[in-house]
Amino acid sequence: MTKFVFFTGGVVSSLGKGLSAAALGALLQARGYKVRVRKLDPYLNVDPGTMSPFEHGEVFVTDDGAETDLDLGHYERFTGVSARRSDNVTTGRIYSEVLAKERRGDFLGGTVQVIPHVTDAIKNFAIADLQDEDFVLCEIGGTVGDIESLPFLEAIRQLGNQLGPQRSMFVHLTLVPYLAAAGELKTKPTQHSVKELQRVGIQPDMVVCRCERPIPAEQRKKIALFCNIESAAVVQGIDVDTIYQVPVEYHEQGLDNQVLRHFGLDTSKTPDLSRWTDIVKRIRAPEGEVNVAIVGKYVGLKDAYKSLAEALVHGGIANNSRVKLNWLESEIFEGDVAVGSLEGVDAILVPGGFGERGSRGKIRAARFAREHKVPFFGICFGMQMAVIEAAQNLAEIRGAGSTEFGPCDDPVVGLLTEWQQGEMTQRRRVGGNLGGTMRLGAYPAKLEKNSRLAEIYRREEISERHRHRYEVNIHYREPLEAAGLRFSGLSPDGTLPETVELDGHPWFVGVQFHPELKSRPFEPHPLFTSFIAAAIDQSRLV
Ligand code: GLN
């Protein structure tokens, strides 16, 4: 029977609930259990796909084409279990389902209410689409006390009752701040936050306290007393230098043991965490260091490129190298002066993006990389900008542009109006809905024999995750290939360019998909491993 661990958070947001759930997932796996990690998000958007990355950070795309919260990326990276559409839901989706049922007449004669209709829909979601999982770790987004999280807390309260303590557990994350003026760690916010949770009828079984400094036993006892739990159920989550240390740290603090004790499971065996300690060792003591410039629009918020930053770390781990990331705002390259800030970097990456603002800067960055023979990696929008650059300056198609920015003479990148998804044809038109209508999720691609891409993947058939509305126009293949930009990967029907590479350049690759979404610490994505290897070669040239 599947057991459920619900994670709530209090005091402040950004406590790392997602990482804590992911780390517990990894610890339970290390003991041989099968886990799924899910997230319930209280905001009203149907999914995060329409939100600005500044607002919400990266949108994580699953194989089955769902646009989800970035915490699902942590879950995948820590547990290796591919997330699915059924692992993330929002208030918006819950309500649209309930309202669609109401319109259909499913509740005919009844008054539709938050309790029980909305809460039932949430509960159904939390327990849906499971097979033989031993544990489902379910994170509730937001902070206890928010108006919008109330239906979710009510739903998990009911679920806890229905399942009973043998099958459910509540873990509450809080912050224990250090007040320099008083020279003390403060437990009051934790006490208040737990009270808030108790007010809605949830008694946490464990309190995880995020802190900058170790919490002395006395303070833990105090928290236990006020929160109505035993001292062993107060677990400290101290800040660490790399997120891959989190499972080891939590294990040392007794997190997994306490969870197992709650469910009456065996704690006598010590789990083998050597893969985690090894990886942390490699991250902490690399042999070399490379500088990678990331030229993007959302560089002010690191969460906007979460999976990308992690994938670069993974590429570094694979090459025993520290990857230093220089986040550069693409708009600065629109003036003449700033290209100088790319001099001396070992590699340049232009990530995914949307809209015209900053696009000229990305095109200039691609040109710099091409002309100065600096390793270049263009991802999705980054590939599109690199193709426009090559079209304008190599193939001399002067009017080359993307219709994403309005009409242009040579739409080298254009709106994707029709494509194959398995047996089905997907159709889109100008002016259609923007939410959930991109080409989303895993699609196969065929790589050309003897291409650099096939060499990197060591395969000719690949499957990668996509999230785009525009596409490089296959009709420009001939002039671009004649100018040296090879279309080395295509959709199986040969109509959609999936990868490009530049002949006679040390490493110049563009991909229409998002390889960063599939990179994991124990399985670094081959493109990132190869890209960092090229950056290392480049660093040796200087
Ligand atoms: N804006 C581009 C498109 O929709 C690229 C999207 C992306 O980089 N994810 O095709």
Side-chain angles (χ1 to χ4, degrees):
M1 289 287 246
T2 307
K3 297 173 172 50
F4 290 79
V5 181
F6 300 105
F7 282 78
T8 53
V11 183
V12 289
S13 57
S14 310
L15 278 177
K17 266 193 315 242
L19 266 178
S20 302
L24 177 61
L27 291 174
L28 292 171
Q29 278 183 329
R31 294 179 181 268
Y33 294 109
K34 189 170 173 195
V35 301
R36 277 209 93 70
V37 197
R38 324 197 118 154
K39 182 155 191 203
L40 313 178
D41 270 315
Y43 52 75
L44 270 170
N45 302 60
V46 172
D47 61 42
T50 53
M51 275 189 248
S52 152
F54 278 127
E55 190 64 35
H56 189 260
E58 160 187 285
V59 174
F60 189 79
V61 182
T62 58
D63 278 330
D64 60 2
E67 295 177 281
T68 70
D69 187 80
L70 61 81
D71 274 329
L72 274 80
H74 290 311
Y75 306 163
E76 276 202 15
R77 287 186 284 273
F78 276 67
T79 65
V81 179
S82 291
R84 295 198 288 253
R85 184 177 295 277
S86 52
D87 291 326
N88 187 203
V89 81
T90 67
T91 299
R93 205 166 120 205
I94 294 283
Y95 270 83
S96 37
E97 280 171 20
V98 171
L99 293 176
K101 278 191 180 169
E102 188 275 336
R103 289 292 81 184
R104 234 178 16 232
D106 289 10
F107 308 115
L108 218 51
T111 308
V112 183
Q113 296 182 294
V114 173
I115 304 172
H117 300 98
V118 168
T119 45
D120 278 355
I122 296 172
K123 286 195 286 184
N124 289 340
F125 179 85
I127 59 171
D129 194 24
L130 295 172
Q131 284 119 27
D132 53 348
E133 285 81 357
D134 299 301
F135 287 95
V136 170
L137 313 180
C138 190
E139 177 191 353
I140 319 297
T143 309
V144 166
D146 295 346
I147 288 179
E148 56 184 17
S149 50
L150 278 174
F152 288 91
L153 296 177
E154 171 60 14
I156 60 167
R157 183 194 69 77
Q158 291 178 13
L159 207 48
N161 259 343
Q162 286 164 3
L163 295 165
Q166 303 78 6
R167 288 191 57 204
S168 68
M169 177 177 188
F170 293 95
V171 177
H172 189 55
L173 247 87
T174 69
L175 177 73
V176 174
Y178 176 77
L179 279 199
E184 269 180 64
L185 283 161
K186 290 296 184 188
T187 65
K188 192 71 81 191
T190 298
Q191 297 174 34
H192 281 277
S193 174
V194 170
K195 287 262 156 4
E196 194 66 38
L197 200 57
Q198 288 166 336
R199 251 160 46 94
V200 295
I202 297 175
Q203 165 62 49
D205 300 297
M206 181 192 283
V207 175
V208 175
C209 303
R210 292 299 322 281
C211 49
E212 279 172 56
R213 302 179 176 221
I215 308 175
E218 263 319 289
Q219 307 279 86
R220 273 190 233 190
K221 254 203 218 146
K222 191 168 159 189
I223 295 172
L225 185 69
F226 278 100
C227 299
N228 214 15
I229 50 178
E230 48 169 346
S231 289
V234 179
V235 170
Q236 123 185 334
I238 201 158
D239 291 352
V240 284
D241 57 345
T242 153
I243 56 170
Y244 299 112
Q245 171 68 11
V246 175
V248 178
E249 188 65 36
Y250 271 142
H251 173 67
E252 282 168 7
Q253 296 301 326
L255 179 83
D256 48 331
N257 268 349
Q258 185 63 18
V259 170
L260 295 180
R261 265 203 299 276
H262 171 92
F263 290 114
L265 297 167
D266 180 28
T267 55
S268 60
K269 287 190 213 78
T270 314
D272 178 11
L273 299 180
S274 52
R275 64 195 313 228
W276 294 100
T277 42
D278 284 353
I279 214 163
V280 169
K281 243 188 250 153
R282 292 176 71 155
I283 292 173
R284 287 184 179 156
E287 283 163 13
E289 180 176 291
V290 287
N291 284 300
V292 177
I294 301 177
V295 181
K297 190 160 76 174
Y298 316 111
V299 293
L301 182 74
K302 299 294 174 301
D303 270 359
Y305 300 109
K306 195 83 224 169
S307 295
L308 180 69
E310 290 309 316
L312 287 161
V313 170
H314 305 161
I317 295 172
N319 286 288
N320 270 325
S321 191
R322 173 173 293 134
V323 180
K324 272 186 70 187
L325 305 180
N326 304 340
W327 300 93
L328 301 173
E329 166 60 60
S330 51
E331 265 181 308
I332 64 165
F333 295 113
E334 302 198 339
D336 270 332
V337 263
V339 187
S341 53
L342 288 176
E343 265 153 32
V345 302
D346 304 318
I348 298 172
L349 189 150
V350 179
F354 292 84
E356 188 167 17
R357 189 169 65 77
S359 61
R360 275 191 300 138
K362 294 176 187 177
I363 291 173
R364 294 194 79 192
R367 180 171 193 172
F368 180 93
R370 179 175 63 75
E371 290 180 344
H372 292 76
K373 297 215 182 314
V374 180
F376 175 85
F377 196 1
I379 294 180
C380 204
F381 195 71
M383 154 164 155
Q384 297 173 359
M385 295 307 106
V387 172
I388 291 174
E389 191 282 313
Q392 290 174 348
N393 304 313
L394 264 184
E396 298 187 359
I397 306 171
R398 296 283 171 223
S402 168
T403 58
E404 183 170 354
F405 317 144
C408 62
D409 293 344
D410 276 293
V412 170
V413 177
L415 183 71
L416 195 53
T417 51
E418 202 173 293
W419 70 90
Q420 285 307 115
Q421 185 173 38
E423 304 287 281
M424 283 194 358
T425 305
Q426 292 278 350
R427 292 201 173 82
R428 300 288 186 272
R429 56 184 170 74
V430 180
N433 273 358
L434 291 182
T437 54
M438 283 187 258
R439 181 168 176 252
L440 288 167
Y443 281 88
K446 279 208 175 111
L447 304 177
E448 201 177 289
K449 222 192 211 100
N450 302 325
S451 61
R452 180 192 295 275
L453 263 292
E455 188 189 304
I456 293 171
Y457 274 96
R458 301 208 189 122
R459 269 182 288 149
E460 281 158 37
E461 287 186 10
I462 58 166
S463 170
E464 291 282 4
R465 297 183 194 171
H466 294 68
R467 180 173 186 250
H468 61 121
R469 203 181 303 286
Y470 296 85
E471 177 74 39
V472 171
N473 189 337
I474 191 82
H475 296 119
Y476 289 92
R477 182 177 187 175
E478 228 180 80
L480 281 164
E481 290 208 325
L485 191 74
R486 246 214 281 176
F487 285 34
S488 54
L490 298 174
S491 58
D493 66 359
T495 59
L496 306 176
E498 289 277 4
T499 71
V500 294
E501 55 191 83
L502 196 62
D503 292 336
H505 187 286
W507 208 98
F508 193 103
V509 168
V511 296
Q512 185 55 71
F513 43 81
H514 290 274
E516 72 275 22
L517 300 178
K518 283 182 44 171
S519 187
R520 293 164 183 178
F522 304 112
E523 281 171 78
H525 193 289
L527 279 170
F528 285 91
T529 304
S530 174
F531 177 58
I532 297 303
I536 294 172
D537 289 344
Q538 177 74 12
S539 72
R540 294 197 176 123
L541 288 182
V542 210

